[in-house]
Amino acid sequence: MINQDSYALAFEQIQAYYLYFSAKMPDDMVNNFTGDDPSLETQSDGYNIFISHSSKDEKICTAFVHLLEILGVPEKNILYSSSERFGIPADMDIFDYLRSSIAQKFNVYYMLSDNYYNSVYCLNEMGAAWVNQNEFSIYILPNLTKSIEGVIDSSKKGFRLDNMINLNQLRVKISKDFNSSISDNKWDEEKTKFLQIVNEMN
């Protein structure tokens, strides 16, 4: 069960942290914080995507990231901390990198589950992305047993990962965002593989 007091305190700390560093950061660091770091520049072939997830949901989230690649999202456009291939570069501070990424206006994909809402770390990510007014999409894992809560707009319809129609809508979204395409036969095959993994959670 979520400790609402702890969440509220964490969110206040996020706001204070963001405002403090926006005002106090030395000039040579401001660009990195406000979105001018060339190493994190949004790619011309689509949006940068930050997968905000609980590490306890790694199996399904890793399968989801694989599905994004199959649909045409380049590896360089995905930040996913549960994989070395998509995660934090070696020799970089984890929290500094994630902070800079969020400040880069990454498109945040919230992978919502009971595990997500029971993690203060995940709620901190949600709050930080909200403070920075990041674009976002909601993805609902099968083990989410409660309604959407927190600072994200719950009126925005989420994609249910166990729903074939929603997965087809995801295909359309990614094809549009990244100007990509996949054959119907290949999509049906990959979608079936993904749903097998998802159904293991039920």
Side-chain angles (χ1 to χ4, degrees):
M1 187 170 182
I2 302 171
N3 185 324
Q4 297 291 347
D5 291 337
S6 295
Y7 172 63
L9 177 60
F11 182 65
E12 289 176 2
Q13 291 173 337
I14 291 167
Q15 287 182 309
Y17 177 86
Y18 185 92
L19 293 173
Y20 174 82
F21 278 95
S22 294
K24 302 295 185 180
M25 191 174 287
D27 291 341
D28 61 347
M29 295 176 65
V30 168
N31 287 344
N32 286 345
F33 187 78
T34 56
D36 297 327
D37 185 350
S39 67
L40 294 171
E41 185 176 355
T42 300
Q43 304 299 327
S44 59
D45 52 352
Y47 301 104
N48 281 333
I49 296 171
F50 172 48
I51 308 294
S52 180
H53 70 291
S54 166
S55 59
K56 293 182 179 179
D57 297 319
E58 178 179 349
K59 184 174 182 179
I60 188 171
C61 291
T62 296
F64 177 79
V65 168
H66 174 72
L67 197 65
L68 292 181
E69 282 197 286
I70 291 295
L71 287 170
V73 181
E75 176 182 324
K76 64 186 178 181
N77 289 76
I78 301 172
L79 176 57
Y80 172 56
S81 61
S82 286
S83 168
E84 290 291 332
R85 189 159 64 91
F86 301 98
I88 312 303
D91 205 31
M92 293 196 69
D93 182 275
I94 294 174
F95 297 106
D96 283 348
Y97 189 82
L98 290 177
R99 183 206 66 204
S100 297
S101 298
I102 291 173
Q104 283 290 321
K105 302 290 187 184
F106 266 50
N107 201 321
V108 181
Y109 282 15
Y110 293 110
M111 311 300 289
L112 300 185
S113 68
D114 285 356
N115 291 327
Y116 190 99
Y117 278 109
N118 289 330
S119 168
V120 172
Y121 183 82
C122 289
L123 294 177
N124 284 350
E125 282 186 352
M126 180 189 288
W130 179 82
V131 167
N132 202 56
Q133 298 182 329
N134 291 79
E135 294 294 326
F136 70 91
S137 295
I138 299 170
Y139 297 90
I140 301 171
L141 279 62
N143 63 353
L144 179 64
T145 61
K146 58 193 73 178
S147 59
I148 296 174
E149 302 173 345
V151 294
I152 59 176
D153 184 1
S154 60
S155 66
K156 186 171 185 176
K157 187 177 183 299
F159 295 84
R160 295 201 65 91
L161 296 186
D162 57 356
N163 184 290
M164 293 184 66
I165 294 177
N166 282 185
L167 290 178
N168 288 334
Q169 291 170 342
L170 171 66
R171 176 191 179 183
V172 172
K173 169 182 170 58
I174 296 301
S175 297
K176 179 180 179 181
D177 288 349
F178 289 87
N179 193 27
S180 61
S181 64
I182 181 175
S183 71
D184 291 340
N185 288 339
K186 184 172 181 59
W187 170 241
D188 287 341
E189 179 182 336
E190 294 296 335
K191 180 173 60 177
T192 298
K193 291 178 182 178
F194 178 73
L195 284 171
Q196 288 174 345
I197 295 173
V198 171
N199 290 332
E200 292 175 1
M201 298 183 64
N202 292 332

